[in-house]
Amino acid sequence: MVYTISGVRFPHLPSIKKNSSLPSFNDDRSRTNAVSFSLRKDTRSSSGKIFAGKPSYDSKSSSIATTASENLGSHQSDSSSAEPQETVSQVTQVHDDVDAQKAETEGQEQTSALSTSVGESNKANTASMSESLDQKVVQRRIPPPGDGKKIYDIDPMLKSYDGHLDYRYGQYIKLREEIDKNEGGLEAFSRGYEIFGFTRSATGITYREWAPGAKAASLIGDFNNWNSKADVMTRNEYGVWEIFLPNDADGSPAIPHGSRVKIRMDTPSGIKDSIPAWIKYSVQAPGEIPYNGVYYDPAEEDKYVFKHPRPRKPTSLRIYESHVGMSSTEPMINTYANFRDDVLPRIKKLGYNAVQIMAIQEHSYYASFGYHVTNFFAPSSRFGTPDDLKSLIDKAHELGLVVLMDIVHSHASKNTLDGLNMFDGTDGQYFHSGERGYHWMWDSRLFNYGSWEVLRYLLSNARWWLEEYKFDGFRFDGVTSMMYTHHGLQVEFTGNYNEYFGYSTDVDAVVYLMLVNDMIHGLYPEAIVVGEDVSGMPAFCIPVQDGGVGFDYRLHMAVADKWIELLKKRDEEWQVGDIVFTLTNRRWGEKCVVYAESHDQALVGDKTIAFWLMDKDMYDFMAVDKQATPRVDRGIALHKMIRLITMGLGGEGYLNFMGNEFGHPEWIDFPRTDQHLPDGRVIPGNNGSYDKCRRRFDLGDAEYLRYHGLQEFDRAMQHLEEKYGFMTSEHQYISRKDEGDRVIVFEKGNLVFVFNFHWTNSYSDYRIGCSVPGKYKIVLDSDDSLFGGFNRLDDSAEFFTSDGRYDDRPCSLMVYSPCRTAVVYAAVDGNEDSSLVPIGLVPDDV
């Protein structure tokens, strides 16, 4: 019998069981039944070879306050080995005692733990190592910091908080200086993956791991039959463990590609086997609960080679939020290869220019949606191999799509068997110790951003995904949780600046965000970085050199909440002024990505907009040859209007979660079994079903269903934005918010948007103001029959303006505005008519 997991094939493992007792440090776990597996090679995935195999274990302990860089000295060989050693340049250790400085001016409320952490620890000067690394990586320059003062010109109100903001920027400057002095600069510091973890040279493999709490360590795995006596590691004075494995006599590496590996450590809380913290791939074997690290180093001829350049950064960002595993129409875990071949062309056809992919970093718990990360440098093996992911990204680039990764640096899985938690047997290695290091709502661990080695780890992690996989940027998850010690829990942000610049601000975390944004934009000026912040932190999307946090976009999260709030009310209770206020209530000069709904609203326990609108009628009345119910008619009309006005007024970027473009029915429910709680209660599961953990794209494609009309409208909406670029137009004017008529009229560029939210009233000869005189034509009509509408407008009609001010505009035109419709008019001249795409109809080959 053969089990297959994401491109890794396991023969039947009759003898694999978890041993009930913990192994001793020198326990030889060799068995007669070796486990072998191979990386599958076919036309849809990358290749591999056949290797040997074995099992895994765990632990717990106290905290340490030490942070350290390593002394990358000469390698020490096992006394029984006569093989030559790899030579690495000696790195000079610099012992810097930087005194922690407390805030001395008014507003410097919080002393950064970062300065204390850096000051009290010994940091390695890795300049000579950086010189050798630069022979392999073209040197790129991260610009020096600015003065951080421009934020006061942008927002004079911030001047009242200059004590806090100047202190924050001072901590950032100090950290940049420390990194320059001790690590050769941020560019070199962010390449920790070329030093730590497994690195390969012509003579062998070096493995390094920072584990200061460990008392002894050995590298174990398939390659040495899990014998902890075979490859004992040495430790330097800074807690970095190291071993060099010379090539075999035939020149082949000591660890074959695909071998399972772990580090066994004697820790303050006992013996534990851990997946290397910098592992690049990990898998879960059938019959085993914890994951195993995998040494992933395919032969050169089997490595995926990128063929297509990165697309240019789009001016208007239209993001298709996606999850590879649930992207199949079938109840299964989908693959990178299937997503590449089936979903990417769909995204391109719909008119989006960016795909944001969730759950890339390895996470042992599938139902965490990828947010409980266990292996930060490893792409999830559920969906395929690392080379499969590279092929997916390369295909997206070929299609002109930028690829954003949903990256998680706000917290980590609390798993001790296969994650970073208690990695070296202590509570505070990567995370804050005690209560501060635990997120009670997410049930996860919280990073200590004041630790030197944590900074190296996270900065290198962000760069790794840009360098190795050619992602074009990130959506940083949970940034609000990072920036405040209360994590945004049980706190209501009102916009009062005291909420942002006080004792509850985690300066270490904000400084880390400034660092990572500076690093990303310095190395990749075209990269896009979006931050998930619900607090409205001022200067969040202002460049770091100007004193900001450095993100390109903030997720405009209040809009989705407002739509849910309105959908719980009757139409008569909706206030168009309230809608406009919510859509436009954002900080001037700081770009936003807006959405009507994301994956959050699609989860079990919540409802999508379509489900709020149409409820159970979606199951029986969506066939076009069947009479729709009033609920379905209302739902289809408002679904289109909500999405268009959100895109039109809500931000400079737009996001849609896959399937919601056509009103995907029901919710997302990950496979789960019954959960038995300690108090005897049982939380029922769904029998491990994948039925509601997929996307029914076939519904949107079926022309005989009303879902198809919603999908076609979304497609027309994206292509309209592509043609006119209205989201980023400098000209925006809202000329009408009529509570009696329930009408909203606004201009974006040369377009005029007219929304009639009234449930029964249609208006003939309705005068609307505009700024551009001349002829107008309809370029998008939500009431078109193609989009499931009633065809109440003549889309070939031409409209001519009249002079004279109306709604404070220099001219006006008369239109027909049917109830529950959204219509977009474009100013045209005689030469432009033929280039218009009527009603957003786009050829299928676009």
Side-chain angles (χ1 to χ4, degrees):
M1 181 182 295
V2 175
Y3 300 92
T4 303
I5 300 180
S6 308
V8 179
R9 239 179 3 162
F10 297 86
H12 182 48
L13 312 180
S15 65
I16 292 287
K17 287 187 189 174
K18 190 166 185 320
N19 197 301
S20 58
S21 61
L22 219 58
S24 66
F25 184 72
N26 290 318
D27 187 14
D28 184 347
R29 288 277 167 186
S30 61
R31 294 192 182 142
T32 56
N33 290 346
V35 179
S36 67
F37 64 94
S38 66
L39 299 181
R40 184 176 57 201
K41 182 173 184 179
D42 57 33
T43 58
R44 298 172 71 90
S45 65
S46 54
S47 63
K49 306 195 181 208
I50 299 180
F51 316 103
K54 263 304 148 220
S56 58
Y57 320 93
D58 183 34
S59 169
K60 190 172 180 171
S61 174
S62 60
S63 68
I64 59 167
T66 306
T67 60
S69 295
E70 66 176 302
N71 179 351
L72 302 178
S74 58
H75 301 282
Q76 299 181 17
S77 63
D78 187 288
S79 60
S80 62
S81 173
E83 296 293 338
Q85 296 296 303
E86 177 187 46
T87 301
V88 177
S89 57
Q90 179 72 30
V91 176
T92 305
Q93 294 295 332
V94 179
H95 296 252
D96 293 310
D97 295 320
V98 182
D99 294 332
Q101 299 181 359
K102 295 189 176 182
E104 296 178 351
T105 59
E106 182 180 355
Q108 295 175 345
E109 299 92 341
Q110 177 173 335
T111 301
S112 170
L114 180 58
S115 60
T116 304
S117 173
V118 173
E120 293 180 352
S121 67
N122 293 309
K123 302 179 294 296
N125 183 345
T126 59
S128 59
M129 172 60 80
S130 297
E131 291 173 3
S132 65
L133 295 179
D134 287 339
Q135 297 174 7
K136 297 183 289 182
V137 179
V138 177
Q139 178 71 42
R140 280 172 286 183
R141 181 174 174 271
I142 298 174
D147 62 8
K149 301 293 186 181
K150 191 174 180 180
I151 52 173
Y152 304 127
D153 297 328
I154 296 171
D155 182 358
M157 288 179 60
L158 291 175
K159 191 65 180 172
S160 300
Y161 301 87
D162 59 355
H164 178 100
L165 290 165
D166 289 349
Y167 171 70
R168 184 179 82 181
Y169 201 75
Q171 291 301 109
Y172 165 74
I173 293 290
K174 182 190 297 183
L175 188 54
R176 282 288 302 265
E177 291 172 348
E178 287 294 312
I179 292 172
D180 290 346
K181 179 180 180 180
N182 297 295
E183 300 285 354
L186 188 54
E187 193 280 333
F189 189 50
S190 61
R191 282 190 274 129
Y193 48 82
E194 295 180 350
I195 301 171
F196 288 93
F198 293 94
T199 57
R200 174 91 179 272
S201 70
T203 56
I205 298 169
T206 301
Y207 170 55
R208 298 187 185 97
E209 196 73 73
W210 176 61
K215 295 176 284 186
S218 286
L219 179 61
I220 57 176
D222 297 334
F223 73 100
N224 64 9
N225 210 24
W226 302 88
N227 182 0
S228 60
K229 298 177 183 178
D231 297 292
V232 178
M233 303 176 71
T234 59
R235 170 187 164 138
N236 70 12
E237 58 187 303
Y238 303 105
V240 175
W241 297 87
E242 178 176 335
I243 189 169
F244 174 70
L245 302 175
N247 291 337
D248 292 339
D250 61 359
S252 61
I255 308 177
H257 164 55
S259 295
R260 293 179 297 174
V261 290
K262 285 194 174 184
I263 178 174
R264 177 168 294 173
M265 292 175 284
D266 184 0
T267 76
S269 53
I271 306 300
K272 83 180 291 267
D273 293 352
S274 294
I275 294 177
W278 299 72
I279 198 71
K280 306 306 191 296
Y281 194 49
S282 63
V283 298
Q284 183 183 41
E288 293 187 8
I289 295 175
Y291 276 58
N292 286 281
V294 171
Y295 178 72
Y296 193 87
D297 186 23
E300 288 300 319
E301 62 270 19
D302 294 328
K303 293 180 180 178
Y304 186 83
V305 178
F306 286 91
K307 306 175 183 65
H308 305 285
R310 286 182 165 99
R312 296 299 303 270
K313 182 197 301 186
T315 303
S316 298
L317 192 60
R318 302 185 302 275
I319 302 172
Y320 195 82
E321 186 185 29
S322 59
H323 184 287
V324 172
M326 65 175 65
S327 63
S328 174
T329 58
E330 301 299 322
M332 57 178 276
I333 296 179
N334 210 7
T335 65
Y336 296 124
N338 288 341
F339 189 94
R340 174 197 66 205
D341 296 340
D342 301 333
V343 182
L344 287 179
R346 170 182 295 276
I347 297 170
K348 176 66 175 178
K349 180 179 176 181
L350 284 170
Y352 291 86
N353 56 22
V355 53
Q356 178 178 300
I357 308 179
M358 307 170 64
I360 290 296
Q361 294 164 293
E362 188 59 88
H363 48 291
S364 62
Y365 183 43
Y366 188 45
S368 73
F369 231 135
Y371 291 122
H372 280 205
V373 176
T374 44
N375 310 121
F376 282 78
F377 288 81
S380 181
S381 59
R382 286 184 180 86
F383 317 135
T385 67
D387 289 283
D388 291 337
L389 175 58
K390 292 177 182 179
S391 175
L392 182 162
I393 294 170
D394 199 26
K395 179 63 178 179
H397 289 166
E398 180 187 3
L399 293 172
L401 300 170
V402 298
V403 187
L404 306 181
M405 175 179 166
D406 196 342
I407 196 169
V408 184
H409 282 183
S410 50
H411 64 132
S413 168
K414 70 173 186 178
N415 287 15
T416 57
L417 285 171
D418 44 23
L420 290 180
N421 189 22
M422 305 291 293
F423 182 80
D424 67 351
T426 66
D427 181 52
Q429 182 188 359
Y430 283 96
F431 311 107
H432 288 291
S433 59
E435 185 177 335
R436 189 179 177 190
Y438 177 71
H439 197 292
W440 61 264
M441 179 173 282
W442 293 345
D443 192 25
S444 56
R445 296 303 312 273
L446 298 172
F447 285 107
N448 176 7
Y449 304 102
S451 163
W452 191 264
E453 292 302 323
V454 171
L455 289 177
R456 186 200 306 275
Y457 186 81
L458 294 177
L459 288 167
S460 299
N461 184 245
R463 184 169 180 180
W464 167 253
W465 294 107
L466 295 171
E467 295 272 3
E468 183 70 12
Y469 290 91
K470 300 193 183 302
F471 279 98
D472 301 294
F474 301 107
R475 178 254 196 200
F476 272 79
D477 176 68
V479 175
T480 302
S481 174
M482 297 173 68
M483 293 192 298
Y484 306 97
T485 55
H486 53 60
H487 311 299
L489 300 176
Q490 299 175 327
V491 172
E492 183 174 344
F493 291 97
T494 65
N496 186 314
Y497 279 22
N498 291 316
E499 297 166 351
Y500 308 116
F501 310 120
Y503 288 110
S504 62
T505 304
D506 189 333
V507 174
D508 289 342
V510 176
V511 169
Y512 164 68
L513 292 170
M514 295 165 71
L515 270 178
V516 74
N517 277 313
D518 229 9
M519 183 269 292
I520 292 169
H521 291 118
L523 297 175
Y524 290 93
E526 289 283 295
I528 300 165
V529 190
V530 182
E532 186 197 30
D533 171 43
V534 72
S535 73
M537 166 71 80
F540 188 77
C541 295
I542 300 297
V544 174
Q545 64 184 15
D546 297 332
V549 184
F551 285 95
D552 295 306
Y553 296 86
R554 182 204 317 269
L555 280 180
H556 196 353
M557 303 174 70
V559 173
D561 294 337
K562 172 57 67 175
W563 288 124
I564 299 304
E565 174 191 321
L566 291 175
L567 291 171
K568 294 177 181 178
K569 299 179 179 180
R570 296 180 302 114
D571 291 8
E572 293 84 348
E573 298 177 86
W574 291 25
Q575 298 293 314
V576 295
D578 185 33
I579 294 172
V580 171
F581 174 80
T582 302
L583 289 169
T584 57
N585 182 28
R586 55 188 188 272
R587 293 186 59 79
W588 179 82
E590 299 190 38
K591 294 187 291 187
C592 286
V593 171
V594 70
Y595 55 90
E597 55 186 343
S598 69
H599 68 271
D600 289 327
Q601 287 71 40
L603 286 171
V604 63
D606 207 335
K607 288 183 179 182
T608 62
I609 288 176
F611 211 72
W612 275 109
L613 288 166
M614 295 178 278
D615 204 65
K616 62 181 180 180
D617 285 15
M618 296 180 72
Y619 298 115
D620 300 314
F621 299 98
M622 295 299 280
V624 296
D625 62 353
K626 194 172 186 177
Q627 180 65 44
T629 65
R631 178 182 285 169
V632 168
D633 284 339
R634 171 183 179 267
I636 288 176
L638 288 178
H639 191 274
K640 292 176 288 187
M641 296 179 70
I642 286 170
R643 301 176 89 74
L644 181 59
I645 198 170
T646 298
M647 186 184 221
L649 282 180
E652 294 73 26
Y654 177 80
L655 178 144
N656 167 66
F657 179 66
M658 62 178 187
N660 287 349
E661 67 274 10
F662 61 82
H664 198 290
E666 297 186 324
W667 52 84
I668 295 167
D669 191 8
F670 284 89
R672 52 196 169 84
T673 56
D674 293 348
Q675 183 179 356
H676 297 267
L677 301 180
D679 60 8
R681 291 182 298 135
V682 177
I683 300 176
N686 60 9
N687 295 318
S689 172
Y690 288 87
D691 184 63
K692 290 182 174 59
C693 195
R694 54 175 170 156
R695 295 281 90 181
R696 293 292 305 275
F697 293 121
D698 53 312
L699 299 177
D701 293 341
E703 296 184 8
Y704 57 86
L705 294 177
R706 290 185 168 88
Y707 296 108
H708 183 69
L710 295 178
Q711 178 170 284
E712 286 302 298
F713 181 79
D714 193 85
R715 182 180 173 215
M717 189 170 74
Q718 305 306 321
H719 284 282
L720 182 76
E721 207 291 323
E722 172 68 22
K723 180 176 177 63
Y724 292 98
F726 58 79
M727 283 196 299
T728 54
S729 172
E730 293 183 0
H731 173 67
Q732 172 177 304
Y733 191 89
I734 302 165
S735 60
R736 175 162 292 215
K737 298 175 288 185
D738 193 312
E739 298 293 355
D741 293 345
R742 295 296 202 277
V743 170
I744 299 171
V745 180
F746 61 87
E747 303 165 19
K748 293 293 288 282
N750 284 347
L751 299 179
V752 179
F753 293 72
V754 181
F755 290 82
N756 182 356
F757 279 96
H758 204 285
W759 46 99
T760 56
N761 289 355
S762 298
Y763 306 107
S764 299
D765 297 329
Y766 196 77
R767 187 173 294 278
I768 60 173
C770 58
S771 59
V772 179
K775 183 172 68 174
Y776 283 77
K777 294 192 70 174
I778 295 173
V779 290
L780 184 62
D781 170 17
S782 70
D783 201 43
D784 190 278
S785 59
L786 176 66
F787 309 139
F790 296 100
N791 254 357
R792 288 171 285 180
L793 290 172
D794 179 1
D795 296 320
S796 65
E798 297 177 343
F799 304 83
F800 295 88
T801 61
S802 301
D803 294 334
R805 298 193 70 80
Y806 189 80
D807 281 350
D808 205 26
R809 310 311 291 142
C811 50
S812 62
L813 63 152
M814 306 278 279
V815 300
Y816 174 47
S817 180
C819 63
R820 286 186 181 142
T821 60
V823 183
V824 184
Y825 300 86
V828 298
D829 58 35
N831 298 322
E832 195 177 354
D833 287 11
S834 60
S835 67
L836 286 175
V837 182
I839 325 305
L841 301 182
V842 183
D844 284 346
D845 60 352
V846 171

